[in-house]
Amino acid sequence: MGSTKYAIGIDYGTESGRALLADISTGEEIAVHVTPYAHGVMTEKLPLSEKRLEHEWALQHPQDYLDVLYRSVPEVIRQSGVNPDDVVGIGVDFTSCTILPVDAQGTPLCFDPALAGDPHSWVKLWKHHAAQEEADAINEHASRSDQRFLARYGGKISSEWMLPKLWQVLREAPDIYARADRFMEAADWVPFTMTGEFVRSSCAAGYKALWHKEDGYPAGSFFAELDPALGDVFETKLRGSIVPLGTKVGRLTAEMAERMGLRPGIAVAVGIVDAHAGVPGCGVVTPGRLVMAMGTSTCHLLLSDEELHVEGISGVVADGIVPGFFGYEAGQPAVGDIFAWYVDKAVPAYVREEASAEGISVHEWLERRAAAYKPGENGLLALDWWNGNRSVLDDSDLSGLIVGLTLQTKPEEIYRALIEATAFGTRRIIDAFQDGGIQVAELVACGGLPQRNRMLMQIYADVTGREIHIAASSQTPALGSAIYGAVAAGSAEGGYDSVPEAASHMARLKEETYKPIPAHAAVYDRLYAEYRKLHDYFGRGGNDVMRALRELKHK
Ligand SMILES: Nc1ncnc2c1ncn2[C@@H]1O[C@H](COP(=O)(O)OP(=O)(O)O)[C@@H](O)[C@H]1O
Ligand SMILES: O=C(CO)[C@H](O)[C@H](O)COP(=O)(O)O
């Protein structure tokens, strides 16, 4: 036996990037380091320019991504005291669809001072929402011409994705579009900077750029009908081979090895979308277990042997998470964010004062009191659409609702109703999977919420009627990336030959689980039936109350 080997997972979030050094044989997380992005999310102006960005823009600086490699990677090596020669693989996950235009050498166009004044030369972050017009036009044309790809994305594509963003560049900055040799997902660009290889990930291409393993990309004629200049977009701006996850895109170059404090030649894995990396990070590598990445929002991820059309999913992609399986993604666009709204904007002052006097957070104060209630006892039922609905209704204009308020209603009762509403929203997504023919036997939770609120997790078990396992790691995307890095290295170099094999050694669940309490589950079955009535009444267009309120608000 040689010395212990290690893999590095690099997780690029919205505000910062983190590097995690993990022991390949046990998954032990030896060291973590976070580098905040110096330029953060640019929503108002560009660096060194007073030019104002328009509403709904969200840009980033690619230098911030490189700085994560230059700072956090040497730092995990320093903290751990590990010999860099024992690091065998690197994996990267990234927010998505986060894209940038690059020149023929792969250099971001915004690095060219002559182009940096144009906002379209910069990175468009996943939450850049200014390409809605383009997304609407693509959706309308696709549904009129009955395009096969629409069904794989639950009936609609998002303004966050590759084609709407790319078309926005073409329409608003044709010179930048022309100057771009390619547009790349940041998840693909970072491995490129480490290896010099232009390779695209089946995950990002499949979930965000309409690529299908059998059908390839949609026909260029479809896009040419929308805009003649888009006719060859897949052969030109989006060209490049597309490979399954765990594939080695190349080896760390000598120059980057020097900057990152590693040895040249280390295997670098193809990139992956952040939420999806959390699936092997939870140890889930087979069908039947739905992974819930629970935080500000919730992403639901599931593996299956079959490609089926499920109502309201964000997408289904072959090899999109674990090679050999179809990966499904669905989501709730606000979960923790709804509780944050309540805590920050709506609780009465006395709650804040009592929490502070007790030396606990407002969340904890509310949780302690709300946990004393039995299901149904708060007399409330809410719809969880504070940030619209991204699943079966797929309507970002929908808004929230609470039914049953009285003069006696207490803040903790409302807090409990909001948590219950998000659990009902998850049950609705599980129902859509089951109705579509995909079984969901158990749930696995990762992200911030399972670590923070036990009552919430018990409510989810009771509402869904399913046992919930919790990931042992609090950094499941970074650990997942380290797993893909270990697979890129392969057993010949001290790693593993498959994602399931690597995950079986490197990822685990906590022993403690949340099991449904039958008496609670029975009450929640009744309440969920009422939730479905409200959901369909306010969400399916039979009721115009929400529409009227919205119209008056924007008048
Ligand atoms: N005790 C708590 N109970 C429920 N929600 C909480 C609690 N503490 C924080 N939150 C919510 O958790 C969310 C942050 O989750 P986290 O997983 O850390 O972030 P992110 O999704 O951005 O990675 C916030 O929206 C916040 O409102
Ligand atoms: O689109 C997504 C996954 O498909 C994510 O929502 C996006 O990548 C942002 O993730 P996070 O909130 O974890 O930063």
Side-chain angles (χ1 to χ4, degrees):
M1 268 304 277
S3 57
T4 307
K5 301 293 181 204
Y6 302 89
I8 293 179
I10 307 173
D11 168 40
Y12 284 92
T14 299
E15 306 282 347
S16 61
R18 73 187 54 218
L20 167 77
L21 180 84
D23 179 326
I24 276 194
S25 49
T26 62
E28 189 191 343
E29 299 174 9
I30 311 289
V32 182
H33 184 265
V34 178
T35 300
Y37 302 146
H39 302 86
V41 180
M42 301 183 283
T43 53
E44 290 178 3
K45 63 180 203 61
L46 297 173
L48 307 176
S49 157
E50 286 314 308
K51 189 167 173 177
R52 308 307 290 176
L53 297 176
E54 286 174 34
H55 191 52
E56 302 285 17
W57 277 64
L59 306 180
Q60 287 197 318
H61 198 320
Q63 185 60 45
D64 294 343
Y65 306 154
L66 296 174
D67 288 343
V68 174
L69 301 180
Y70 302 154
R71 291 200 192 124
S72 289
V73 174
E75 190 53 28
V76 291
I77 298 291
R78 193 195 63 78
Q79 278 176 30
S80 64
V82 157
N83 180 347
D85 288 349
D86 290 327
V87 176
V88 301
I90 306 175
V92 172
D93 65 83
F94 223 109
T95 64
S96 178
C97 177
T98 297
I99 65 157
L100 66 164
V102 297
D103 68 14
Q105 284 69 48
T107 306
L109 295 192
C110 62
F111 284 179
D112 179 346
L115 303 177
D118 189 324
H120 283 291
S121 69
W122 294 81
V123 176
K124 287 192 170 59
L125 183 61
W126 65 277
K127 62 178 174 182
H128 172 93
H129 284 148
Q132 189 60 51
E133 210 179 293
E134 288 78 7
D136 290 344
I138 295 171
N139 283 323
E140 202 186 302
H141 186 44
S143 63
R144 244 188 298 112
S145 56
D146 213 11
Q147 292 292 315
R148 279 157 65 100
F149 70 78
L150 268 194
R152 294 200 303 273
Y153 301 106
K156 250 189 206 173
I157 74 158
S158 159
S159 68
E160 289 179 9
W161 295 2
M162 181 67 93
L163 274 302
K165 280 178 168 149
L166 212 140
W167 193 14
Q168 190 199 1
V169 179
L170 173 64
R171 291 170 88 179
E172 296 176 13
D175 50 326
I176 295 287
Y177 186 86
R179 289 287 288 267
D181 182 58
R182 308 177 203 225
F183 284 80
M184 295 188 77
E185 278 272 354
D188 295 325
W189 184 72
V190 171
F192 159 77
T193 64
M194 288 193 267
T195 62
E197 304 290 340
F198 279 109
V199 178
R200 295 182 189 270
S201 144
S202 61
C203 175
Y207 287 103
K208 312 290 177 168
L210 313 182
W211 174 80
H212 184 263
K213 193 176 176 183
E214 305 294 327
D215 298 354
Y217 287 116
S221 55
F222 168 78
F223 283 97
E225 282 155 22
L226 286 164
D227 188 324
L230 278 181
D232 62 357
V233 62
F234 297 114
E235 297 82 53
T236 57
K237 309 295 175 185
L238 293 177
R239 72 187 190 282
S241 56
I242 297 171
V243 301
L245 299 170
T247 303
K248 179 177 75 194
V249 296
R251 295 187 178 277
L252 191 64
T253 60
E255 188 196 333
M256 287 301 276
E258 166 91 38
R259 301 201 71 161
M260 292 165 68
L262 296 173
R263 103 186 128 75
I266 297 174
V268 177
V270 67
I272 180 168
V273 177
D274 53 359
H276 302 60
V279 176
C282 291
V284 172
V285 289
T286 50
R289 283 179 155 186
L290 179 78
V291 173
M292 305 185 292
M294 306 175 76
T296 309
S297 63
T298 294
C299 256
H300 305 78
L301 299 143
L302 185 64
L303 301 174
S304 170
D305 297 313
E306 291 178 277
E307 184 185 61
L308 298 168
H309 293 152
V310 176
E311 190 186 12
I313 53 167
S314 309
V316 49
V317 175
D319 303 334
I321 303 174
V322 173
F325 292 106
F326 292 93
Y328 289 77
E329 178 187 350
Q332 287 170 275
V335 174
D337 248 2
I338 303 182
F339 318 141
W341 165 83
Y342 188 60
V343 164
D344 297 342
K345 303 226 172 74
V347 286
Y350 83 86
V351 172
R352 234 175 269 291
E353 285 154 18
E354 286 189 20
S356 150
E358 289 176 36
I360 55 176
S361 72
V362 175
H363 280 291
E364 284 172 287
W365 190 98
L366 290 164
E367 181 192 351
R368 282 187 195 173
R369 280 153 187 83
Y373 285 76
K374 293 204 290 286
E377 204 184 343
N378 58 4
L380 301 174
L381 184 58
L383 285 174
D384 50 318
W385 301 338
W386 263 246
N387 190 19
N389 176 295
R390 202 205 275 168
S391 57
V392 295
L393 301 169
D394 204 4
D395 184 346
S396 55
D397 286 336
L398 290 172
S399 51
L401 179 80
I402 305 177
V403 176
L405 294 164
T406 71
L407 293 174
Q408 281 73 45
T409 302
K410 297 196 178 80
E412 55 268 34
E413 293 176 309
I414 296 178
Y415 187 71
R416 186 171 175 118
L418 296 176
I419 290 175
E420 289 167 341
T422 64
F424 291 139
T426 283
R427 179 160 170 184
R428 184 66 192 84
I429 288 170
I430 294 171
D431 281 0
F433 278 117
Q434 301 257 141
D435 294 347
I438 302 178
Q439 296 312 306
V440 179
E442 279 179 344
L443 307 179
V444 176
C446 59
L449 292 188
Q451 324 277 340
R452 294 195 169 107
N453 192 321
R454 297 180 62 82
M455 176 191 72
L456 178 146
M457 296 314 298
Q458 186 59 49
I459 289 175
Y460 270 65
D462 293 340
V463 165
T464 60
R466 285 167 173 81
E467 185 170 5
I468 307 182
H469 298 261
I470 311 293
S473 172
S474 57
Q475 333 253 10
T476 47
L479 180 61
S481 286
I483 287 173
Y484 293 113
V487 175
S491 58
E493 294 181 14
Y496 296 102
D497 291 327
S498 74
V499 175
E501 192 194 356
S504 73
H505 288 90
M506 295 177 68
R508 63 192 49 78
L509 297 169
K510 288 187 174 168
E511 277 186 15
E512 186 194 14
T513 65
Y514 291 87
K515 293 192 183 63
I517 299 167
H520 292 185
V523 177
Y524 280 132
D525 279 347
R526 272 200 61 192
L527 273 171
Y528 178 64
E530 303 307 321
Y531 172 91
R532 293 269 315 228
K533 286 184 204 160
L534 283 184
H535 174 281
D536 289 353
Y537 185 68
F538 284 100
R540 300 262 187 212
N543 180 292
D544 54 8
V545 177
M546 286 189 185
R547 212 165 305 279
L549 293 177
R550 205 166 49 238
E551 269 171 32
L552 287 167
K553 184 177 172 183
H554 295 296
K555 220 170 174 179

